[in-house]
Amino acid sequence: MQSLLEKIFQMDVTDNIVGLVKFMGEGRYSPQKLLLAASHLLASGRIRPAYILAMLLAKNGYRNTTIFTALSMGGLLYGNQIEAAHGLNGLHAQAVALPVEQQTALFEPIIVPMLYLLQRDEIRADKRRILQLFEVLKAAVPCCRQIFDWDA
C-alpha cells in the first residue's frame, strides 16, 4: 500500500495528471486496494488524486462512501457539478440507509478532507464554494442538516 501511495503522491506533486490517470487505470491494483488508497488520500488532503481515483472506480460500477466523498469534494473543487451532484446524492442515500445511531459514523471521513479544502485560498475566497462544502456535510451526516441549514 505504501508504494502505491508514494507513486500517487509523486505524480500528484509533479502535476503528472495524465500519468496518474494511466497508472490508476491500468489494472495493476485491485479495486479494494484502490479504494483504500482513495481513503488515505482523502484523509491526507490529497483531493485531486482521490477524485481521479473515485471517478475511475465509479465508472466501473463501484459505490462507496469514500468514492462519493471524493466525487463530491473533487467535483466542487474542480467545477464538475455533475460529479459533485453524483457524490452528494450517493452520500445522502447511504446516510439515510443507516440506522440513526450509526449516521454520525460518516462525520470523520467527511470532515477531515473538508477541513483541508477550507484551508485553500480559492475556497475561502468564494462563499458559494464554502456553502457547497457544507452541503456535502449535510448530505452525509443527517444530524448536521439542522445545524448548517441556514436557508430554513
Side-chain angles (χ1 to χ4, degrees):
M1 173 59 68
Q2 191 62 31
S3 66
L4 170 62
L5 289 172
E6 287 173 6
K7 289 176 187 173
I8 292 172
F9 287 162
Q10 183 60 35
M11 285 186 261
D12 185 43
V13 167
T14 59
D15 289 325
N16 185 359
I17 304 304
V18 173
L20 190 60
V21 171
K22 183 179 177 190
F23 174 74
M24 290 180 184
E26 62 190 14
R28 192 182 315 176
Y29 297 96
S30 70
Q32 292 78 14
K33 191 166 253 190
L34 293 175
L35 187 58
L36 185 57
S39 180
H40 283 283
L41 292 165
L42 283 172
S44 63
R46 300 280 186 173
I47 305 300
R48 180 172 58 183
Y51 175 52
I52 293 168
L53 190 48
M55 286 189 293
L56 291 170
L57 289 167
K59 181 180 175 186
N60 288 297
Y62 294 94
R63 306 289 178 261
N64 170 292
T65 302
T66 299
I67 293 170
F68 293 134
T69 301
L71 289 175
S72 60
M73 293 194 180
L76 292 172
L77 183 61
Y78 298 108
N80 187 335
Q81 295 304 313
I82 292 171
E83 292 294 356
H86 181 111
L88 283 171
N89 292 335
L91 283 172
H92 178 74
Q94 286 193 338
V96 298
L98 289 172
V100 173
E101 62 275 2
Q102 293 179 4
Q103 290 179 351
T104 57
L106 297 177
F107 184 77
E108 187 175 336
I110 302 296
I111 198 68
V112 171
M114 186 174 159
L115 291 173
Y116 280 106
L117 286 176
L118 288 171
Q119 294 175 38
R120 296 178 70 130
D121 290 335
E122 70 269 25
I123 298 293
R124 287 195 321 252
D126 186 349
K127 289 184 176 136
R128 179 187 55 82
R129 292 174 96 182
I130 293 171
L131 293 175
Q132 288 173 326
L133 283 174
F134 284 114
E135 289 301 318
V136 175
L137 189 60
K138 287 168 38 180
V141 188
C143 66
C144 291
R145 290 183 187 140
Q146 288 181 324
I147 297 169
F148 296 113
D149 193 6
W150 297 312
D151 295 331

